[in-house]
Amino acid sequence: MNEVLKCLKERRSVRKYRSEQIKDSELEQILEAGTYAPTGMGMQSPIMVAVQDPETIAKLSKMNAAVMGVTSDPFYGAPTVIVVLADRSRGTYVEDGSLVMGNLMNAAYSIGVDSCWIHRAKEVFESEEGQALLKEWSIEGDYIGIGHCILGYRDGELPKAKPRKENYIYIVK
Ligand SMILES: Cc1cc2nc3c(=O)[nH]c(=O)nc-3n(C[C@H](O)[C@H](O)[C@H](O)COP(=O)(O)O)c2cc1C
């Protein structure tokens, strides 16, 4: 199997991380892969905010947990969080942002970095606190949260994929 297909099959969501930060060169490669995701009409509606400052990650974690009504860390201790947002004025913003998320996770796995999509970015960045964070990061425009891609090195084994469901694929010839 070629390396790309192998990576697409093997990547798994990781929910336990070592505290060690990923390398800058790894983060750069992952972010660059994100920028090459396809977007509706090539309008590149998403943006990515890579957060490595522990205080800001802790803040995002609390905000995310609050949306769920829990106090646990939804980021599982991952040392990097990439927030993907997309320009609400583009009709394909959800699809655009989701493809960026996919590129980030698959690119990460291909270079030995683990990841997981963490949800609730929409609620977090619609909140007053979330809007204030965007302002603090000098992000202007009508951006809506799509997802958080957490990154780090896993602590333990890579989880196994569930068997693929029956009737996933239909081929019409
Ligand atoms: C839109 C979306 C939202 C997700 N949100 C979360 C989340 O908030 N927390 C979490 O632990 N995993 C989350 N995941 C990861 C899924 O649970 C995971 O992809 C799924 O269980 C399949 O596992 P795999 O990625 O290892 O194949 C999310 C995945 C997607 C696509």
Side-chain angles (χ1 to χ4, degrees), residues 81-138:
V81 177
I82 302 177
V83 183
V84 175
L85 303 115
D87 179 346
R88 199 197 294 261
S89 71
R90 302 302 318 167
T92 55
Y93 71 87
V94 175
E95 293 82 355
D96 297 346
S98 300
L99 282 165
V100 167
M101 289 290 293
N103 269 24
L104 294 176
M105 295 185 289
N106 286 312
Y109 183 70
S110 79
I111 58 169
V113 175
D114 295 293
S115 69
C116 187
W117 179 320
I118 306 301
H119 210 41
R120 296 163 294 281
K122 180 174 183 288
E123 295 85 340
V124 165
F125 287 95
E126 266 172 358
S127 71
E128 229 173 81
E129 212 180 346
Q131 289 289 309
L133 269 178
L134 294 182
K135 210 166 178 195
E136 194 183 314
W137 298 338
S138 306

Side-chain angles (χ1 to χ4, degrees), residues 13-120:
S13 294
V14 166
R15 298 188 175 85
K16 194 169 180 211
Y17 290 88
R18 307 206 309 261
S19 56
E20 185 186 345
Q21 187 53 276
I22 64 169
K23 296 180 188 69
D24 286 349
S25 61
E26 291 169 334
L27 179 63
E28 282 159 21
Q29 290 177 80
I30 294 166
L31 288 167
E32 189 185 24
T35 71
Y36 280 91
T39 54
M41 296 177 79
M43 295 304 286
Q44 303 181 34
S45 73
I47 54 170
M48 298 172 283
V49 184
V51 183
Q52 292 189 316
D53 162 42
E55 261 183 43
T56 310
I57 291 181
K59 189 171 188 176
L60 288 173
S61 166
K62 269 198 175 163
M63 291 163 76
N64 201 303
V67 176
M68 282 191 284
V70 300
T71 52
S72 53
D73 172 21
F75 298 149
Y76 308 109
T80 295
V81 177
I82 302 177
V83 183
V84 175
L85 303 115
D87 179 346
R88 199 197 294 261
S89 71
R90 302 302 318 167
T92 55
Y93 71 87
V94 175
E95 293 82 355
D96 297 346
S98 300
L99 282 165
V100 167
M101 289 290 293
N103 269 24
L104 294 176
M105 295 185 289
N106 286 312
Y109 183 70
S110 79
I111 58 169
V113 175
D114 295 293
S115 69
C116 187
W117 179 320
I118 306 301
H119 210 41
R120 296 163 294 281

